[in-house]
Amino acid sequence: AEKEMDNPMFRSDTVLSDVHLHCPSKRHLMVRLNAVGQPVFLSYFKLLWSTEDLASGKHVREITTGREHQCRSEDELCDKDRSNTKKEGELNSEGVEALLDDDGDLEVVRRPRSASDLQAEDLLRDIVCPVILMKGKEEAFEDEDQECTYSDVVKIEHTMATPLEDVGKQVWRAAFLLADYILFKRDTFRCCSVLELGGGTGISSIIMGTVAKRVYCTDVGEDLLAMCEQNVALNKHLMEPGGGEIQVKELDWLKDEFCTDPEAPYSWSEEEIADLLDHCSVIMAADVFYDDDLTDALFRTLYRITHNLRNSCTVYLALEKRLNFTLRHMDVTCEAYSHFRNTLNDLENLQDGKMKYTVEPIKLDFCQFLVYERIEQL
């Protein structure tokens, strides 16, 4: 016990992404328990375009009218909130007696929010009320399907809080940011062969599958990959107009080779590896930079794969810069992001006779095609 006290350790066993807590995901349906006993939820994420828009080739300006309509709806809700706030303020301004409860304690009156306060909120937040589905009650999904157009929603199975090693089972903002960029630059990705590293729930690959020819969505862990494969199946209607194909495969950054064991689930065939190396021109990853060892492993994997590609390749990396207070520095730092930047700089300065890497930041002024909270740390 004394030895433990001399070397205190602080650890957090639970990591929570709050993406699914924002409207307009609406209800979150608990559909099952996964293989390790974690509750799995189904959430609906609103798209500001439809597969009909994509097939007809509508321009970005036309598609973004959906966003404008949504903003108008939110403004109307804000007006309603303001009127309710005013009424509450009037009720609380009757006199000093109204500020005391039955025991004579002072009740603090909340200051009414101004119009500027309300306008500063990017998205309204709803109270999340998970709905638990019992086995054999699949008809509960029918009401959800009637509330949304079939072609303007991404359905994602995910968990809500996990240990650090299972964060891939949650939904993270950078995946939505990457999805936005894919839709904004969809002509760039049309008919491409794409590899996603650390695909997680698969949302970025699903969006890429609406425009690309083939997407290899990779991660590690049979339970996670099964969830990812289920999400691909849930959203096949989004990919059908473009004929895109998504293959869910295992790719462990800590190993130097592709898994080719035919007995292993989500393994690669020799033909699939050859197809990837011969045709891949885009590699992408979202929100995978949270552990320094895994960051190093990812960059080693990136180097190994790009070194063996037949053609040049563009790598798209999306992440959220997370600020944390650390006891070691006694200050707010962002160590995971700093390590990522340093490693990226090392890759760009790599002296290799065959390979040359250039790094270019992307401005975040492109349109938003999915409804989520695009924060400044993305």
Side-chain angles (χ1 to χ4, degrees):
E2 291 180 1
K3 185 176 181 180
E4 291 178 0
M5 290 298 292
D6 290 339
N7 298 284
M9 292 181 63
F10 298 89
R11 56 186 299 179
S12 174
D13 293 326
T14 303
V15 181
L16 172 67
S17 166
D18 66 350
V19 171
H20 56 276
L21 299 179
H22 296 281
C23 69
S25 304
K26 298 184 179 178
R27 290 187 292 170
H28 306 281
L29 305 171
M30 178 181 158
V31 290
R32 60 186 170 87
L33 295 177
N34 61 19
V36 293
Q38 297 164 336
V40 175
F41 293 82
L42 178 68
S43 290
Y44 295 123
F45 295 98
K46 179 77 172 174
L47 286 161
L48 300 177
W49 57 274
S50 67
T51 49
E52 288 81 4
D53 293 330
L54 204 61
S56 64
K58 285 188 177 181
H59 296 294
V60 172
R61 185 177 301 171
E62 293 176 303
I63 296 174
T64 53
T65 55
R67 173 66 175 167
E68 293 164 1
H69 173 72
Q70 182 209 2
C71 290
R72 284 197 298 271
S73 299
E74 291 176 359
D75 288 341
E76 291 170 2
L77 288 172
C78 289
D79 290 338
K80 184 178 179 182
D81 289 343
R82 280 196 290 272
S83 63
N84 290 340
T85 303
K86 183 178 180 182
K87 289 178 182 177
E88 292 173 4
E90 290 170 353
L91 290 173
N92 287 325
S93 60
E94 292 174 357
V96 176
E97 290 77 16
L99 300 178
L100 303 179
D101 63 14
D102 295 336
D103 298 326
D105 297 321
L106 180 66
E107 289 186 343
V108 179
V109 180
R110 186 185 298 274
R111 178 181 62 85
R113 294 188 296 173
S114 66
S116 59
D117 291 337
L118 291 163
Q119 290 169 357
E121 296 179 0
D122 291 330
L123 288 175
L124 298 175
R125 296 174 184 242
D126 289 342
I127 297 175
V128 176
C129 301
V131 178
I132 299 177
L133 294 186
M134 302 303 292
K135 191 172 182 180
K137 297 290 184 181
E138 287 84 359
E139 63 270 15
F141 288 100
E142 296 176 3
D143 294 337
E144 287 288 325
D145 289 336
Q146 292 172 2
E147 292 178 10
C148 54
T149 307
Y150 192 54
S151 60
D152 67 354
V153 165
V154 181
K155 301 178 183 179
I156 296 293
E157 284 195 1
H158 61 94
T159 55
M160 284 197 176
T162 65
L164 186 62
E165 61 267 21
D166 282 337
V167 291
K169 297 177 182 178
Q170 299 189 54
V171 185
W172 300 93
R173 286 190 190 90
F176 287 92
L177 182 73
L178 182 57
D180 274 345
Y181 187 75
I182 292 166
L183 293 174
F184 180 68
K185 304 284 282 188
R186 57 185 176 275
D187 289 340
T188 300
F189 303 111
R190 204 176 299 281
C191 300
C192 285
S193 183
V194 180
L195 169 67
E196 180 173 15
L197 300 174
T201 60
I203 187 167
S204 296
S205 283
I206 289 166
I207 296 301
M208 181 64 85
T210 64
V211 292
K213 177 182 179 182
R214 181 172 291 113
V215 182
Y216 290 100
C217 181
T218 69
D219 214 310
V220 66
E222 185 176 346
D223 196 43
L224 172 59
L225 292 170
M227 175 188 289
C228 183
E229 191 171 54
Q230 168 70 0
N231 286 333
V232 171
L234 284 172
N235 294 281
K236 61 182 183 297
H237 61 283
L238 296 175
M239 293 163 279
E240 285 172 351
E245 176 191 7
I246 299 179
Q247 298 281 342
V248 178
K249 298 291 178 183
E250 177 183 325
L251 204 163
D252 190 341
W253 306 340
L254 300 176
K255 296 179 181 178
D256 293 332
E257 301 293 337
F258 292 94
C259 175
T260 56
D261 180 2
E263 299 297 320
Y266 307 105
S267 62
W268 297 73
S269 68
E270 295 296 338
E271 292 77 14
E272 289 166 340
I273 295 174
D275 175 68
L276 174 73
L277 298 180
D278 287 345
H279 300 107
C280 179
S281 60
V282 174
I283 298 177
M284 61 182 186
D287 248 331
V288 295
F289 304 104
Y290 56 89
D291 177 271
D292 290 355
D293 292 336
L294 288 178
T295 295
D296 293 340
L298 171 65
F299 276 99
R300 286 195 299 269
T301 301
L302 264 181
Y303 176 79
R304 175 173 59 86
I305 292 176
T306 53
H307 197 273
N308 292 310
L309 291 180
R310 172 172 293 186
N311 303 305
S312 61
C313 178
T314 306
V315 183
Y316 296 90
L317 304 176
L319 70 158
E320 180 177 336
K321 184 177 180 180
R322 292 184 174 85
L323 302 173
N324 296 292
F325 180 86
T326 63
L327 292 172
R328 185 155 63 93
H329 294 94
M330 292 303 291
D331 197 2
V332 175
T333 64
C334 195
E335 293 184 292
Y337 177 78
S338 298
H339 186 76
F340 158 74
R341 293 294 307 186
N342 291 334
T343 312
L344 190 64
N345 187 60
D346 291 341
L347 187 69
E348 187 175 23
N349 295 328
L350 182 68
Q351 298 296 322
D352 188 315
K354 181 181 178 182
M355 303 293 294
K356 179 175 175 57
Y357 298 89
T358 58
V359 177
E360 178 184 348
I362 296 174
K363 292 183 179 180
L364 302 187
D365 56 357
F366 49 88
C367 298
Q368 187 166 339
F369 291 87
L370 288 111
V371 181
Y372 66 101
E373 190 178 32
R374 189 188 281 189
I375 60 176
E376 62 181 13
Q377 287 79 22
L378 288 172

